[in-house]
Amino acid sequence: MKKMNINTTISVLGPARIPSPLTSQGVTRDGKTRFMKDEYRISVDVRVDRIAGENKDSLLSFEQAGPREKIYFDPSKLKCAVVTCGGLCPGLNDIIRSLVLELYHVYGVKTIYGIRHGLQGFIPKYGHELIELNPERVSGIQNTGGSMLGSSRGGQDIGEIVDCLERIGVGLLFMVGGDGTLMASKAIGDEILNRGLKISVVGIPKTIDNDIFLVSRSFGFDSAVDVATLAIKGAHNEAEAYPNGIGLIKLMGRHAGFLAATAALAQPDANFVLIPEEEILLHGENGLLAAVERRLALRRHAVIIVAEGAGQNFFDDKDIEHDASGNLKLKDIGLFLKTEISTYFKSKNIPISLKYIDPSYIIRSLPANANDSVFCGLLARDAVHAGMAGKTNLLISFWNNNYVHIPMDASAGQRKKIDPSGKLWQSVLESTGQNLLFNG
């Protein structure tokens, strides 16, 4: 990866002086301590040739996540709050449950508020009541999709949010969401700092698109790939069953094609994968339509996967719209391609059987699979460890096979994208053979 110039220092509310309740469990059978120290750090880059010659002090690294021997908050007096924001995603209930169980049973925190319907839950005019969270209230929620707290889109007044935190006496806030939520988390943390309050804000990154900067993998992605492979299987079976059958699947991925690319490798039945990072050429000898025609002549069926953010250049003449969160409303590339493919083959008097599949809302509202469920538990527990230690304005990230603390302002507002020359995309090209089809 390219050398980055980012601040990796984690903010703290103050000195941690209270012995952790984990002290009695803090030593393993081999005599080693399970506690992490702030000086335990994970290198941002792992390529030896790129970090050779760097001294220890100048090497860019992240603070390793995990329990600390001393904590900042007194569990008997602490009030915590949990909020889920933005779109639904497999694993939200797993995150909520793990946060509550870790706070309640391990640290002894008995007052945990669930904020209803995202950032709206902080604002009095919406009238959303708080939920008292405890082990009984979250029992079994990991088996259901969605979020037991609900969600919402759209920004809310940061001052009113912090006013609410002050009114109900929250000392530790967990925010679960994507890039927009991380931006809001940063703004809330800044307002808390401006007011001189002792409130910790800890983020847990969530996006099916897997495009959060400085996060190798976000929860829900593994589950989304699982379900996406079922859609690919169905599209392939439909395409193969009819002469000149075409299966067209639209998957999530507003700015990055990680889901489309990974699902295509997991279920290698696709012949074309279209992602936002690579421009789509539609017409002409080297365009998609001619390539599909060559594929049909060769094998009599074709499967196409397109990420929702691909090909937005085809809509440059359309009005620009934004959703309640300020995100650009994407034009429907799936329906556009369906029309263009049908029109192209009709003009050539070539009969086709085109099946269009969009499993997006099915994917995001389902429960997490086993891998994601485990992953959610690990993220949530490390979020609790960080917050109880008085760390703030950070998110929990999985990076280089370790769980680390990332400063909110190092990640928020930036996106991770597929490297067209990297291993993931090159593997997709090799698996599909689409470059050979494009070149005729």
Side-chain angles (χ1 to χ4, degrees):
M1 63 185 301
K2 295 179 181 178
K3 190 175 180 65
M4 293 184 292
N5 182 25
I6 58 174
N7 178 19
T8 62
T9 303
I10 299 299
S11 300
V12 294
L13 296 177
R17 297 193 174 100
I18 302 172
S20 170
L22 280 76
T23 301
S24 60
Q25 315 163 34
V27 178
T28 60
R29 287 184 179 181
D30 60 4
K32 295 180 180 179
T33 179
R34 65 167 293 195
F35 292 116
M36 296 291 176
K37 298 181 179 179
D38 289 351
E39 54 265 34
Y40 295 171
R41 303 187 68 86
I42 304 301
S43 175
V44 174
D45 203 342
V46 293
R47 276 269 297 271
V48 173
D49 60 300
R50 289 194 290 243
I51 61 175
E54 301 273 354
N55 63 54
K56 180 182 176 183
D57 294 331
S58 66
L59 187 66
L60 193 62
S61 60
F62 295 130
E63 189 176 278
Q64 191 167 12
R68 267 48 182 181
E69 195 166 6
K70 295 290 181 68
I71 58 176
Y72 175 79
F73 288 108
D74 180 348
S76 66
K77 300 172 179 63
L78 178 65
K79 295 180 180 179
C80 296
V82 182
V83 63
T84 57
C85 306
L88 296 180
C89 178
L92 283 170
N93 282 335
D94 296 77
I95 291 286
I96 296 167
R97 179 177 180 271
S98 294
L99 287 172
V100 171
L101 295 185
E102 188 75 6
L103 286 166
Y104 197 96
H105 288 307
V106 177
Y107 281 95
V109 177
K110 304 304 180 186
T111 305
I112 309 165
Y113 298 128
I115 308 297
R116 293 281 287 154
H117 298 301
L119 298 183
Q120 286 186 7
F122 294 104
I123 311 301
K125 70 177 182 180
Y126 292 105
H128 301 315
E129 295 183 356
L130 295 175
I131 297 178
E132 295 260 359
L133 297 176
N134 53 48
E136 290 73 30
R137 193 69 182 264
V138 299
S139 178
I141 64 171
Q142 74 276 14
N143 298 318
T144 61
S147 166
M148 71 164 292
L149 298 178
S151 189
S152 67
R153 291 191 183 276
Q156 303 297 336
D157 185 84
I158 298 301
E160 284 194 69
I161 293 173
V162 178
D163 288 344
C164 177
L165 293 173
E166 282 196 88
R167 277 196 304 272
I168 60 180
V170 167
L172 175 50
L173 171 64
F174 298 97
M175 298 189 66
V176 189
D179 184 67
T181 304
L182 296 182
M183 293 287 286
S185 302
K186 181 181 180 302
I188 292 168
D190 290 343
E191 177 64 16
I192 288 170
L193 180 64
N194 290 338
R195 298 190 188 189
L197 304 174
K198 297 295 187 180
I199 302 175
S200 171
V201 181
V202 178
I204 301 177
K206 171 228 71 179
T207 171
I208 286 174
D209 294 357
N210 200 35
D211 63 351
I212 295 179
F213 187 58
L214 299 178
V215 176
S216 297
R217 170 189 160 200
S218 51
F219 76 85
F221 180 69
D222 193 86
S223 303
V225 171
D226 263 3
V227 183
T229 59
L230 297 177
I232 297 170
K233 288 178 185 178
H236 179 254
N237 291 340
E238 285 284 350
E240 202 173 34
Y242 298 91
N244 289 337
I246 300 174
L248 174 61
I249 312 112
K250 186 181 78 171
L251 296 176
M252 286 165 287
R254 293 178 56 85
H255 303 282
F258 289 103
L259 177 56
T262 307
L265 292 175
Q267 185 63 39
D269 289 324
N271 310 110
F272 303 92
V273 181
L274 311 175
I275 59 173
E277 293 87 342
E278 292 278 80
E279 185 176 349
I280 302 171
L281 178 63
L282 200 59
H283 299 285
E285 186 61 23
N286 292 320
L288 173 65
L289 298 173
V292 174
E293 183 181 359
R294 284 191 285 270
R295 165 69 191 185
L296 293 182
L298 182 68
R299 296 295 301 275
R300 303 286 286 170
H301 70 281
V303 175
I304 306 166
I305 301 173
V306 60
E308 63 178 323
Q312 293 301 300
N313 55 292
F314 295 128
F315 307 102
D316 287 343
D317 60 336
K318 304 295 183 183
D319 292 338
I320 295 175
E321 299 177 282
H322 295 84
D323 65 18
S325 297
N327 298 314
L328 179 68
K329 279 189 176 182
L330 298 176
K331 307 304 180 185
D332 198 322
I333 185 63
L335 293 177
F336 173 83
L337 287 179
K338 179 184 177 183
T339 299
E340 290 292 320
I341 292 169
S342 298
T343 302
Y344 175 83
F345 284 101
K346 185 176 181 180
S347 71
K348 292 213 159 196
N349 201 27
I350 301 174
I352 62 170
S353 175
L354 175 59
K355 302 298 193 303
Y356 175 58
I357 299 172
D358 180 357
S360 300
Y361 287 97
I362 295 174
I363 289 175
R364 72 181 208 162
S365 60
L366 291 175
N369 68 10
N371 282 339
D372 261 333
S373 188
V374 172
F375 187 46
C376 287
L378 294 168
L379 290 170
R381 284 186 282 275
D382 276 341
V384 172
H385 294 321
M388 292 302 299
K391 298 180 184 295
T392 187
N393 292 359
L394 79 152
L395 60 93
I396 304 299
S397 168
F398 186 64
W399 188 264
N400 287 339
N401 288 320
N402 283 271
Y403 296 84
V404 297
H405 299 152
I406 307 285
M408 205 77 74
D409 58 6
S411 177
Q414 302 186 67
R415 294 191 187 279
K416 179 178 67 177
K417 294 191 176 185
I418 289 179
D419 178 2
S421 61
K423 189 176 186 64
L424 176 62
W425 184 242
Q426 292 303 311
S427 295
V428 170
L429 296 181
E430 292 172 20
S431 173
T432 60
Q434 69 186 53
N435 274 2
L436 296 175
L437 289 165
F438 276 113
N439 294 330

